[in-house]
Amino acid sequence: MALFTVWACGACSTDGGAYRNAGLPVEQRVDNLIRQMTTEEKVEQLQSQLLFPDKYATDRNFKVGHTRNVAHFLHYGKPDPVSASECAEAINEDTRKSIEASRLGIPVLQHGEALHGAQWGNATCFPQSIAFAAGFDEELYFQVGQAVAKELRAVGVRQVYAPVINISRDPRWGRTEESYGEDVLLTSRMGVAYVKALEEGGVIASPKHFVDNYGDGGHDSYASSMSWRTLREVFLEPFRACIEEGGARSVMAAYNSIDGTPCSVNATLLNDILRKEWKFKGFVVSDYGGVHGVHSAHKLVESYAEAQAACLEAGLDVELANGYGDLLALVRSGRVSEKTLDASLRRVLTAKFELGLFDDPYADASKADAIVRCRAHRDLALESARSSMTLLKNDRQTLPLSDREIRRIGVFGPGADILSFGGYSGGYGGWKGEGAVTPYQGLKRRLEGRAEVILHEAGSDAAALVRTCDAAVFFAVIREGEGMDRSLLALPSQPVKAAESTANAQIIAAGKDLTIHLDQEKMIRELAATGRKTVVVLQNGSTVDIRSWKDQADAILEAWYPGEQGGTAIAETLLGDVNPGGRLPITWARHAGQLPVYYYIKPSGRGYGYNDDDGKPLFPFGFGLSYTTFEYSGLTLPGKVRKGEDIRVRVTVKNTGERKGDEVVQLYLSGEQASVVRPMKELKAFRRITLEPGESREVELALPYRSFGLWDKNLTFAVEPGVFRVWIGKDAETVLLEGQTEVEP
């Protein structure tokens, strides 16, 4: 180390080595480095590489500027988890070879995924994004982001393609589970919390997919039919918030086209809005194969090479993965200017200098094992799973089950003894952490010495078993995820197979292959017909059509994809150790014929239903039951809002029940009159609180001046004067208190 320090300081004395001087401003270091780079070296910094294990040893090009970290693949084909320290050592070795391969010692940016945890085998697996949205808890989510950042940095991963901040207004879209649901504010706040935690933790966040990412019918990556007004009002806002407030230093462009132009080559998005309007200083990456799709899928240009040129000129800086192979030739031929190349290069190098990669490019492998899946992070995963539990039905106070009265519980369904995580869980080969429990195992542990928990064997008589029990708990699963859009919302009755060891596995079968031939809806009805208490636990990431069995089930608990500690959290909730406080981040449709359905609709010129359906959802956005009750009173707010003024709204909430519980206070806003048609109500503030039995608390909700704004006839954001109604509700349909304020001109 001493020899390196002497060499580095000596280099700093010359102009050519100024970029190595950590004491100089980043801009000066970037300028110095670019002046010394050849065109080929510049192009290499905009290229990337993703290699699977069988190709890594032979095809790895250590000169490229970005690579999918090798730790993502280390667990593949191995029966046991690879340690965090081994992952760190492997990434360090890859980084060392990259620096040595570069004439100027430019470090590689090791990237990966982190949708709901650092995505490599044994990192902590937190609940899915949709589950965190159900938690309505920005502070908790920020803590999770901090933990994820620590686990990423522990092995040397410094950029992740997360979070997904696409608004999901159609649950047929298979990637709804990756989103924060349908609401603009909730998505924005959760996205900002996660992005800010990652960025402050020294990891570049790349919110995705810019923008929209699904089309009519919930089809992934279909051409967007959204108007620029809807894009402005709904789909672009979370990205603005994550950039301006969260500090995201990268963005991933979507596959789909907007108004006839693919997002990867859309200068309006990438330059006019992102850079000029939002002052974004970071770099844009493509989705995997997105640049190629400009030619092959969208047929906008005559060749892949031309697609590369067009995308770079439109503002797309790095092509993922294994991309920009023709860029050097395009520059040398004059098709792409050196100026355009340098603009993208500057953004990429600035990020690398800001991360400190030129000064300290390696992870401390000796500390990795103590950080990754440490007790604090596993406890945080459990707290997160508890927070996301959402109670949808609870007839006759079926839940919580009493461990003093229940002596035998029957456990049924394809989700009972497996870990349902959803997409982007673990590295290539699936999650490999140890010590997690399934819901069945969680119940057995919780009731050990108190009650017997019997797991139903596939193919045996379920009704006969449940008649010997005091209660039945059915764990349901659905098929969804990336590449798995749905046309039907009902529980699948075709064979359900637990995923084998594959990348982004939906269901991890705890080390065993499992195939279940089961009509889930039929079994739920059979269980309920016995007269025993019947509880259904859903493990999913979007709406399920539950009409055929909803009335028969006594209670329904939405557990989402609750992460590695989900089995414990589900058991605790069923037995009353945890009072469910989650709320729906999506409007729950009765059936697919109502789709798309979301709460912030605009006024109709005629009506809102069908001739065979009133159009109302089964459960509204923000809905969720509790084991206790709450009372609201004392709404106070300013009568007027001065120009540029943020205001505070206060309301008193009291726990009127006999159990400690969480409540999500929701504030909705609607304008009496505006220059353009506005939604009938919009969520503008929320706060999750915990109250002891009998406890009252005054809750303060902040309403920034921007909350009253709209996009006017010229698609310019403005706050117009006028009267606004303020609604306090338990959900988007249940108004508890109401007031009004006037925004002054």
Side-chain angles (χ1 to χ4, degrees):
M1 179 62 71
L3 289 176
F4 173 79
T5 302
V6 171
W7 173 82
C9 290
C12 292
S13 64
T14 66
D15 181 68
Y19 71 93
R20 300 184 185 277
N21 186 347
L24 294 177
V26 167
E27 184 177 1
Q28 187 174 336
R29 298 176 77 182
V30 171
D31 288 340
N32 178 264
L33 180 56
I34 290 178
R35 286 197 298 269
Q36 300 176 68
M37 296 175 70
T38 65
T39 301
E40 184 173 4
E41 289 169 336
K42 293 177 179 180
V43 168
E44 287 166 350
Q45 286 301 301
L46 305 185
Q47 293 175 327
S48 66
Q49 197 162 34
L50 182 153
L51 294 171
F52 292 94
D54 59 335
K55 297 289 186 182
Y56 180 83
T58 57
D59 295 353
R60 177 76 172 97
N61 178 3
F62 291 102
K63 292 184 177 182
V64 301
H66 309 256
T67 187
R68 172 60 70 100
N69 74 90
V70 66
H72 182 76
F73 306 97
L74 288 184
H75 307 80
Y76 179 66
K78 298 180 180 180
D80 299 315
V82 176
S83 70
S85 59
E86 291 176 277
C87 292
E89 289 167 355
I91 292 177
N92 281 345
E93 179 67 7
D94 186 271
T95 298
R96 181 186 63 79
K97 291 180 178 179
S98 296
I99 293 172
E100 291 176 349
S102 170
R103 177 179 65 90
L104 295 166
I106 303 175
V108 65
L109 183 53
Q110 300 277 356
H111 66 243
E113 305 281 356
L115 178 65
H116 57 120
Q119 197 191 345
W120 43 273
N122 68 329
T124 308
C125 187
F126 292 93
Q128 266 287 2
S129 298
I130 194 72
F132 279 110
F136 280 78
D137 194 334
E138 295 176 71
E139 294 179 4
L140 175 62
Y141 198 37
F142 179 78
Q143 294 174 32
V144 169
Q146 290 178 312
V148 173
K150 289 177 181 177
E151 296 199 358
L152 290 165
R153 288 203 63 173
V155 299
V157 177
R158 303 301 298 274
Q159 181 189 7
V160 291
Y161 303 130
V164 173
I165 53 174
N166 298 120
I167 299 292
S168 179
R169 305 204 298 192
D170 193 327
R172 289 174 294 185
W173 183 42
R175 303 186 74 172
T176 295
E177 62 175 66
E178 301 177 34
S179 77
Y180 301 118
E182 72 182 49
D183 184 69
V184 177
L185 177 74
L186 181 59
T187 296
S188 299
R189 300 326 308 162
M190 301 307 286
V192 167
Y194 198 55
V195 166
K196 191 173 183 179
L198 291 173
E199 290 283 0
E200 289 182 359
V203 177
I204 291 178
S206 301
K208 61 183 184 183
H209 309 78
F210 192 60
V211 60
D212 200 0
N213 204 50
Y214 69 95
D216 294 342
H219 291 290
D220 186 61
S221 300
Y222 266 37
S224 173
S225 61
M226 299 299 171
S227 67
W228 277 105
R229 170 165 299 283
T230 303
L231 289 169
R232 283 291 197 177
E233 292 176 348
V234 179
F235 294 89
L236 283 166
E237 178 60 19
F239 287 93
R240 182 205 64 79
C242 284
I243 289 165
E244 293 187 351
E245 299 178 48
R249 283 180 282 185
S250 180
V251 169
M252 176 181 279
Y255 287 123
N256 58 287
S257 60
I258 297 288
D259 196 24
T261 304
C263 296
S264 296
V265 70
N266 197 314
T268 300
L269 288 174
L270 304 184
N271 279 326
D272 294 345
I273 295 176
L274 194 61
R275 294 192 170 100
K276 294 179 182 178
E277 184 177 326
W278 296 344
K279 311 303 180 186
F280 177 63
K281 302 299 182 184
F283 61 97
V284 180
V285 302
S286 74
D287 206 337
Y288 284 20
V291 174
H292 197 285
V294 172
H295 161 61
S296 61
H298 298 291
K299 303 187 184 303
L300 201 69
V301 293
E302 62 184 12
S303 68
Y304 173 40
E306 182 59 27
Q308 295 172 58
C311 287
L312 187 74
E313 290 174 335
L316 190 135
D317 303 304
V318 177
E319 182 186 359
L320 304 177
N322 309 313
Y324 278 159
D326 298 302
L327 185 53
L328 180 60
L330 290 166
V331 176
R332 286 177 172 171
S333 69
R335 171 61 188 84
V336 172
S337 70
E338 195 89 21
K339 181 180 179 181
T340 298
L341 182 68
D342 284 353
S344 288
L345 174 66
R346 180 176 299 279
R347 290 189 280 263
V348 167
L349 291 179
T350 296
K352 288 187 175 185
F353 276 112
E354 288 177 346
L355 287 175
L357 295 181
F358 282 84
D359 311 312
D360 186 14
Y362 302 109
D364 188 343
S366 67
K367 296 180 179 179
D369 290 330
I371 296 172
V372 175
R373 287 197 82 228
C374 64
R375 169 55 63 186
H377 291 180
R378 283 179 284 146
D379 288 347
L380 188 58
L382 178 56
E383 183 183 357
S384 301
R386 291 167 173 163
S387 173
S388 68
M389 296 292 134
T390 307
L391 187 60
L392 300 181
K393 181 182 180 182
N394 195 23
D395 283 359
R396 299 178 299 279
Q397 296 183 319
T398 297
L399 293 178
L401 301 173
S402 171
D403 59 7
R404 295 186 299 274
E405 299 175 1
I406 297 291
R407 290 293 171 261
R408 185 175 167 94
I409 292 180
V411 177
F412 305 82
D417 199 25
I418 58 176
L419 298 176
S420 297
F421 287 164
Y424 288 84
S425 303
Y428 187 70
W431 188 74
K432 293 291 183 71
E434 298 175 323
V437 299
T438 67
Y440 164 64
Q441 293 167 340
L443 281 169
K444 280 183 68 70
R445 292 186 181 186
R446 171 60 178 78
L447 291 170
E448 185 175 5
R450 294 171 178 256
E452 190 177 7
V453 182
I454 308 299
L455 179 64
H456 172 246
E457 294 184 7
S460 65
D461 190 333
L465 172 59
V466 78
R467 288 190 183 97
T468 70
C469 299
D470 300 304
V473 183
F474 186 93
F475 291 90
V477 297
I478 67 174
R479 289 187 175 277
E480 63 183 339
E482 186 170 6
M484 291 188 286
D485 302 331
R486 300 182 293 155
S487 62
L488 301 176
L489 301 184
L491 295 176
S493 58
Q494 70 269 29
V496 177
K497 185 175 182 180
E500 297 173 356
S501 184
T502 58
N504 304 330
Q506 179 193 2
I507 303 172
I508 291 83
K512 61 183 180 182
D513 189 23
L514 180 66
T515 301
I516 300 175
H517 297 268
L518 175 67
D519 185 330
Q520 297 185 81
E521 297 188 340
K522 179 181 179 182
M523 179 172 281
I524 293 171
R525 292 193 296 268
E526 289 176 348
L527 297 176
T530 65
R532 297 294 191 270
K533 292 181 178 180
T534 302
V535 179
V536 177
V537 179
L538 298 171
Q539 296 176 87
N540 53 286
S542 56
T543 304
V544 178
D545 184 343
I546 64 177
R547 290 174 299 162
S548 77
W549 53 267
K550 170 184 172 289
D551 292 339
Q552 286 75 36
D554 295 302
I556 304 172
L557 177 67
E558 174 59 83
W560 311 103
Y561 294 113
E564 64 167 81
Q565 302 297 322
T568 299
I570 289 171
E572 292 176 335
T573 305
L574 294 176
L575 274 299
D577 304 330
V578 170
N579 190 343
R583 302 293 184 262
L584 289 178
I586 49 178
T587 299
W588 196 286
R590 295 179 183 274
H591 51 80
Q594 290 184 320
L595 300 178
V597 58
Y598 45 92
Y599 82 88
Y600 49 96
I601 59 173
K602 296 180 179 179
S604 167
R606 206 172 265 274
Y608 303 95
Y610 303 92
N611 65 8
D612 55 358
D613 186 303
D614 62 10
K616 294 181 179 180
L618 185 61
F619 303 115
F621 171 87
F623 176 84
L625 302 176
S626 173
Y627 296 155
T628 190
T629 56
F630 299 94
E631 180 181 271
Y632 285 68
S633 63
L635 174 65
T636 61
L637 68 159
K640 293 185 180 298
V641 180
R642 297 181 180 84
K643 187 173 183 179
E645 179 185 34
D646 299 340
I647 68 169
R648 305 281 175 172
V649 177
R650 294 175 177 84
V651 61
T652 298
V653 183
K654 181 179 181 179
N655 183 346
T656 54
E658 298 179 354
R659 289 177 177 267
K660 175 183 176 181
D662 285 12
E663 176 72 323
V664 177
V665 183
Q666 303 168 40
L667 186 155
Y668 296 86
L669 199 66
S670 62
E672 291 295 301
Q673 188 175 354
S675 62
V676 294
V677 178
R678 300 295 302 137
M680 291 190 285
K681 67 175 67 172
E682 297 175 277
L683 182 71
K684 290 299 182 180
F686 60 87
R687 175 72 60 82
R688 180 167 178 154
I689 59 172
T690 303
L691 296 176
E692 297 289 342
E695 181 184 1
S696 294
R697 184 181 306 171
E698 185 178 69
V699 179
E700 183 178 86
L701 300 167
L703 267 185
Y705 186 67
R706 185 183 177 88
S707 302
F708 300 95
L710 53 74
W711 291 90
D712 65 17
K713 292 181 179 180
N714 300 315
L715 282 184
T716 299
F717 189 80
V719 176
E720 298 179 345
V723 175
F724 288 80
R725 299 173 69 191
V726 177
W727 317 64
I728 300 295
K730 288 185 68 66
D731 53 56
E733 289 186 0
T734 307
V735 179
L736 301 175
L737 299 171
E738 182 179 346
Q740 71 177 36
T741 187
E742 182 179 2
V743 176
E744 296 181 337

